[in-house]
Amino acid sequence: MEKSDIINFSALEKELHAALEADRKYQRENDAKFRALHQNVASYEEFRDIVLASHLKPLDKKDIYGAPRKQPWNTVAAELKHESPSHEVVEPQLTEIEPRSTSEFSRDWRRFGGSSYEKYNLLLKLGGKTLQEIFRTEVCFGLLGEFLVILSQCLKSGDEETVIGVLDGLSKTGRFGLNVSLLSQAEQKACEELFNRLGEYYPSNNVSSVMSLEYNEPSGVCEVRHVESDKTDILVKLRALMEKYGSQN
């Protein structure tokens, strides 16, 4: 038997456990959202705390004096802090990742740990249409804000059109409006900065200058008209996305 034919059952078992845990996490947080809505919580912070604390058992939600225990804002970071130092995280190769469901995506996303650049490349590799299909029900709680922060931090020249495609695909996922309303102030700021940078690449005055060039250069009419049309379409899409994401540019 060749080495490539040997099945790594240990790795398969780990992936299965990760996928099951991702499914349980999604269902748990989804149930917590509905509970919070039915309880008519008084503020967004209270709503978010209920969802973030959904993984705790009832007895864990009180301290030794019986008072409600404050939950950390970033529970994922808190869990990682208590992770065993011997826990080995093997970073996957981007070419190997082809998630087709929320559980598969969550598994692969976690495997990149704190590598924003790798996560950025993953979002661009998948593209808007694939992300829309993966998150057709909804983007998992907290992920939309993380996506926006990473896209804002890592955006580089030449990626603008692909990033707009990613934003467009995410805007067509289930419960998108609710997820936007739950963005933190830091995530909202990252969203603003992202659209500001995209707007710099597709300014309105560029369209008029291209139209002028088309009129004065008859020999290049067909080529210039195509460029102007593409730029205009992207600019229209960008403005529509700014409205969907609540960006006040």
Side-chain angles (χ1 to χ4, degrees):
M1 181 181 292
E2 295 183 5
K3 188 175 180 180
S4 59
D5 294 331
I6 299 175
I7 300 175
N8 189 335
F9 287 102
S10 178
L12 287 175
E13 184 179 9
K14 287 181 180 178
E15 290 196 6
L16 176 61
H17 285 310
L20 290 173
E21 178 56 31
D23 282 335
R24 285 193 290 267
K25 181 176 183 292
Y26 171 81
Q27 189 59 52
R28 189 170 60 235
E29 291 183 346
N30 196 50
D31 291 342
K33 291 177 189 177
F34 283 109
R35 285 200 305 274
L37 291 174
H38 287 311
Q39 291 172 18
N40 294 321
V41 293
S43 66
Y44 156 73
E45 285 76 14
E46 187 177 350
F47 177 93
R48 184 158 184 163
D49 282 346
I50 289 175
V51 177
L52 290 176
S54 62
H55 66 292
L56 298 177
K57 296 177 182 178
L59 290 178
D60 293 336
K61 296 180 181 179
K62 293 184 177 180
D63 60 22
I64 57 175
Y65 301 105
R69 179 179 296 165
K70 292 183 179 180
Q71 301 305 322
W73 185 259
N74 188 340
T75 55
V76 176
E79 289 170 1
L80 289 176
K81 206 176 283 186
H82 293 89
E83 214 172 65
S84 171
S86 62
H87 180 70
E88 186 177 344
V89 178
V90 180
E91 220 172 74
Q93 295 296 317
L94 198 61
T95 54
E96 300 173 354
I97 298 180
E98 293 290 344
R100 288 292 178 265
S101 66
T102 54
S103 59
E104 290 179 2
F105 181 90
S106 297
R107 175 201 64 198
D108 294 331
W109 189 256
R110 288 198 307 272
R111 287 167 67 190
F112 281 123
S115 177
S116 297
Y117 184 73
E118 293 296 337
K119 290 180 175 180
Y120 171 80
N121 286 333
L122 174 60
L123 291 175
L124 268 59
K125 172 183 179 288
L126 294 176
K129 290 185 179 179
T130 300
L131 290 169
Q132 178 185 347
E133 179 61 25
I134 291 174
F135 298 111
R136 57 185 176 275
T137 304
E138 72 170 328
V139 179
C140 303
F141 185 74
L143 270 184
L144 180 61
E146 188 176 354
F147 291 164
L148 293 171
V149 171
I150 288 173
L151 290 172
S152 179
Q153 290 175 344
C154 301
L155 177 65
K156 61 181 184 292
S157 179
D159 290 344
E160 292 86 358
E161 192 169 344
T162 307
V163 169
I164 289 174
V166 168
L167 294 171
D168 185 47
L170 292 172
S171 74
K172 297 173 181 175
T173 55
R175 298 181 182 174
F176 174 74
L178 175 61
N179 276 320
V180 168
S181 69
L182 296 177
L183 294 176
S184 68
Q185 288 187 349
E187 292 163 350
Q188 291 171 0
K189 183 178 179 182
C191 183
E192 292 279 348
E193 292 174 350
L194 175 59
F195 277 106
N196 280 334
R197 294 181 62 189
L198 291 172
E200 290 173 0
Y201 188 77
Y202 294 102
S204 302
N205 58 357
N206 272 7
V207 176
S208 60
S209 63
V210 172
M211 291 176 67
S212 174
L213 181 61
E214 176 190 6
Y215 179 79
N216 293 322
E217 297 289 342
S219 61
V221 167
C222 292
E223 181 182 355
V224 175
R225 179 183 298 166
H226 175 70
V227 173
E228 190 279 327
S229 177
D230 287 348
K231 287 257 185 180
T232 302
D233 290 344
I234 294 173
L235 185 60
V236 170
K237 180 183 288 188
L238 182 59
R239 286 174 174 169
L241 287 172
M242 287 167 58
E243 186 175 344
K244 286 184 177 181
Y245 281 84
S247 178
Q248 304 299 319
N249 285 357

